[in-house]
Amino acid sequence: MRLRALLETDALGLRLLGGEDELDRSVRGVMTTDLRDPSRYLSGGELVLTGLAWRRDAADSEPFVQILAGAGVAGLAAGEAELGDIPADLVAACARHRLPLFAVHETVAFATITEHVVRQVSGERAGDLAAVVDRHRRLMTSGPAGGGPEVVLDLLGTDLDLHAWVLSPTGRQIAGAGETSLPGPVGAALAGHHLAATRTGRRAPHRATVGGTAYSLFPIRNTGRGALPASRDVRESVLSDWLLAVEADASDWPPARLDLLQGVTQLIAVERDRRDAARTVRRRLAQEVLELVQTGAPPAEIAARLRVAAPVLLPGLGSAPHWQVVVARVEWGDAEGRAAGGAQAGSGASGSEIAGGPVAQALLEEILVDPAVTGPDSADRIAVAHTGEEAVALVPLPAVGAPAPDRDGERAEVPDQDPALHADVLLAAVREPLSAGLADDGRLTLGVSAAVHSPEGLRGALEEARHARRVAAARPGRVCAAGHHELASHVLLLPFVPDDVRRAFTARLLDPLRDYDRRHRAELIPTLETFLDCDGSWTRCAARLHLHVNTLRYRVGRIEQLTGRDLSRLEDKLDFFLALRMS
């Protein structure tokens, strides 16, 4: 805005004392000061407001005005509340340095001027940014991408002083402005807030406070021309949609600024749609490989198909020394789903009507990306197909200790690296935010296979991942995962024991001990656990419990007396072991 516009606003009570030829200067901000030297707080273009408390005599005006002029401020407004008329020495100093000078009537608060300037400057910046965003939208919808989401996020930072990030449903940073990254735990917490609010049908933007900082969360959906048809049910997309997190509280923003941010999200959604279109070929190739594996095609045929698909599935690698398979299934309940109200987007669709395969496919394409990697194209090597209600991901892995190029282009060994996916690590990264999106009627289960060396092992890896997913499905919780290592243990069997059988079995063996511990504080249960953990060794168990061996023998005898079992027998030891694991 111009100084002239301030002078023409009667409500501000400004009276021009000098600098009429400079009234076309632009005002980029406002600062109130009574410091003798405020230069450290000036960046140029400000309207400086002062109550003249810095002035002790006429000699103070010249150095003060010289500092303002040197900093490139737009003008000076002096209040009349303290001294009445503005001193002539200040008027003369401003004239010498060609600095416009205003008198502020004593009835006008500096806060009134500040609010007016900030409102006008922000409005003009928003208008300029809106024009830029609109231009980018036209370019991006008709041709190649113009720099990705980072471009528009940079505009938000430079033109509106807004820090913003594009996040995945698990909180992974996809894009951010400049070098400012959002910490991983903060991103996960914001994604959880967004998913929970979306499932309850609350209108965006959603407000969230994490670590004492307020954020506004905007869903990223393309609603313009060329957009895909909207989902009948929000559950079809809630687990795969991106979001825009802005470090600000948008609850008091004017409609124009909210509309601008909506335009920003649509602009980013165009990039998302373009990226999804590029994934179509990888999905088709993954589907072909999956069908060959499932139908028991000869390994040579599978290997040939992978060689043909390598340039697309493995850009930059050429071949995959190892593969892993991840299987995912998303299931929605019926009764809870119908009761979700706003989460149904007005469709009344039940959980059984939502195709689980495509939902799980889109979700795997997001969560199998390394959380430390940013950027919308970092999932280029994740090939996911879906069959029925489950999704299957083929994940190529570089060989452990495989040669890697050094600075001179030579191949050097990289020891002790484990690139394989681990079910517990994957679960820890996605459980918190995705549980919020699944709410009370959804469930995600994941199974992870071991790494295999060649296409011949893919069929076994697929079956292994499916078995692991079924183990995960037998556990409580909204998001569960299991890995291949759990298939070679009794842990595989325990989840499939019916609940009533588990309760009866554990009660019969352990309840007498729990009752005795409650009455006598005898610690029989901890003693039993340690005794079994020490493989029945009296000396090792006594040492670990810091007991005399005779005291340990007394406790074990009491356990046998209360339960009618003999801990010297393998069968009874095994029964106690299983009872403790199932309790």
Side-chain angles (χ1 to χ4, degrees):
M1 66 177 303
R2 308 289 181 183
L3 284 174
R4 189 180 307 278
L6 291 175
L7 187 62
E8 294 171 351
T9 304
D10 295 336
L12 300 183
L14 297 178
R15 182 164 50 90
L16 184 64
L17 301 180
E20 185 174 0
D21 294 339
E22 305 292 334
L23 291 181
D24 286 327
R25 291 188 181 187
S26 296
V27 179
R28 295 191 297 175
V30 63
M31 191 194 81
T32 300
T33 184
D34 276 312
L35 296 174
R36 297 170 68 86
D37 181 3
S39 57
R40 71 182 70 179
Y41 304 111
L42 298 172
S43 58
E46 297 93 348
L47 173 67
V48 176
L49 307 176
T50 181
L52 301 176
W54 50 267
R55 183 183 179 279
R56 297 174 184 173
D57 54 45
D60 292 333
S61 294
E62 173 62 26
F64 181 78
V65 173
Q66 186 175 5
I67 289 170
L68 300 187
V73 303
L76 174 64
E80 296 177 325
E82 186 70 22
L83 301 178
D85 292 339
I86 305 303
D89 49 272
L90 180 60
V91 176
C94 288
R96 282 193 295 273
H97 291 279
R98 302 181 62 84
L99 181 65
L101 175 63
F102 302 90
V104 182
H105 195 273
E106 61 181 3
T107 60
V108 178
F110 282 174
T112 301
I113 300 174
T114 300
E115 291 173 2
H116 178 82
V117 172
V118 170
R119 186 164 56 249
Q120 293 298 317
V121 170
S122 297
E124 291 178 2
R125 285 183 177 178
D128 293 341
L129 180 58
V132 174
V133 168
D134 185 62
R135 184 167 66 253
H136 272 259
R137 183 188 297 114
R138 290 197 302 270
L139 289 173
M140 293 172 67
T141 53
S142 60
E150 287 81 3
V151 173
V152 71
L153 297 185
D154 283 334
L155 290 172
L156 286 176
T158 56
D159 285 32
L160 291 184
D161 298 324
L162 292 176
H163 298 292
W165 301 267
V166 178
L167 304 178
S168 77
T170 61
R172 179 180 66 88
Q173 180 175 319
I174 294 168
E179 299 179 356
T180 304
S181 295
L182 198 64
V186 175
L190 292 176
H193 279 290
H194 174 73
L195 291 173
T198 301
R199 285 304 313 275
T200 58
R202 282 166 34 203
R203 185 175 180 180
H206 309 128
R207 186 184 186 279
T209 301
V210 178
T213 301
Y215 298 86
S216 295
L217 312 176
F218 297 81
I220 294 177
R221 301 190 189 100
N222 186 4
T223 60
R225 188 171 64 180
L228 296 174
S231 299
R232 294 187 306 113
D233 192 311
V234 72
R235 291 175 295 177
E236 294 179 1
S237 60
V238 66
L239 299 181
S240 57
D241 279 347
W242 290 354
L243 67 136
L244 177 67
V246 181
E247 189 179 324
D249 185 353
S251 58
D252 59 350
W253 282 6
R257 178 169 288 204
L258 290 173
D259 289 344
L260 172 60
L261 265 293
Q262 180 63 31
V264 169
T265 62
Q266 292 190 31
L267 187 59
I268 298 172
V270 172
E271 282 291 289
R272 170 68 187 269
D273 291 346
R274 189 167 282 143
R275 189 209 61 165
D276 286 346
R279 280 182 172 175
T280 302
V281 176
R282 289 202 303 279
R283 286 177 171 180
R284 180 174 55 79
L285 291 174
Q287 198 78 35
E288 291 176 359
V289 173
L290 176 61
E291 289 174 0
L292 290 175
V293 171
Q294 289 190 128
T295 57
E301 186 177 351
I302 298 174
R305 170 55 61 186
L306 285 174
R307 282 195 297 272
V308 171
V312 176
L313 294 182
L314 310 170
L317 284 182
S319 63
H322 295 84
W323 293 88
Q324 268 183 292
V325 176
V326 179
V327 173
R329 187 181 181 101
V330 176
E331 298 171 289
W332 303 100
D334 291 332
E336 294 86 352
R338 285 192 296 269
Q344 296 301 317
S347 68
S350 67
S352 60
E353 296 172 347
I354 301 172
V359 174
Q361 180 183 44
L363 180 58
L364 274 186
E365 288 173 335
E366 292 294 340
I367 68 177
L368 291 181
V369 180
D370 184 348
V373 178
T374 60
D377 299 320
S378 53
D380 279 348
R381 295 193 178 107
I382 306 298
V384 187
H386 70 83
T387 173
E389 291 300 304
E390 70 178 12
V392 178
L394 303 176
V395 183
L397 303 173
V400 177
D406 59 17
R407 292 182 179 179
D408 300 321
E410 299 295 329
R411 311 299 286 186
E413 289 292 321
V414 183
D416 301 327
Q417 290 186 349
D418 182 10
L421 292 169
H422 295 276
D424 54 346
V425 175
L426 188 62
L427 180 63
V430 305
R431 177 163 47 194
E432 181 181 350
L434 292 184
S435 294
L438 292 162
D440 294 329
D441 61 333
R443 206 156 181 257
L444 166 67
T445 50
L446 299 160
V448 182
S449 78
V452 294
H453 304 269
S454 64
E456 289 85 348
L458 281 178
R459 181 174 177 82
L462 175 60
E463 291 305 314
E464 192 173 56
R466 282 176 169 162
H467 280 304
R469 192 207 64 78
R470 285 194 285 269
V471 171
R475 295 172 176 167
R478 288 291 166 197
V479 182
C480 297
H484 61 92
H485 62 282
E486 299 181 56
L487 303 184
S489 165
H490 64 279
V491 176
L492 173 65
L493 303 176
L494 295 184
F496 299 100
V497 178
D499 288 343
D500 55 344
V501 176
R502 293 158 65 104
R503 284 192 294 268
F505 181 74
T506 58
R508 186 166 58 251
L509 280 176
L510 302 183
D511 279 1
L513 306 183
R514 292 187 180 120
D515 292 341
Y516 191 87
D517 281 347
R518 194 160 41 245
R519 293 195 310 269
H520 303 283
R521 298 182 180 178
E523 297 187 353
L524 296 184
I525 291 288
T527 300
L528 176 61
E529 290 176 327
T530 306
F531 184 73
L532 294 174
D533 193 47
C534 292
D535 298 323
S537 170
W538 296 97
T539 54
R540 281 193 289 127
C541 182
R544 187 179 297 184
L545 293 173
H546 306 289
L547 297 175
H548 192 278
V549 172
N550 289 340
T551 304
L552 175 61
R553 290 185 183 278
Y554 172 80
R555 288 188 182 180
V556 170
R558 179 63 67 185
I559 291 171
E560 293 174 335
Q561 180 185 10
L562 291 170
T563 60
R565 298 299 184 105
D566 182 356
L567 278 169
S568 65
R569 298 178 65 247
L570 176 61
E571 293 86 347
D572 288 342
K573 285 180 183 177
L574 181 59
D575 283 348
F576 277 123
F577 177 79
L578 293 175
L580 289 169
R581 281 300 182 96
M582 289 191 293
S583 64

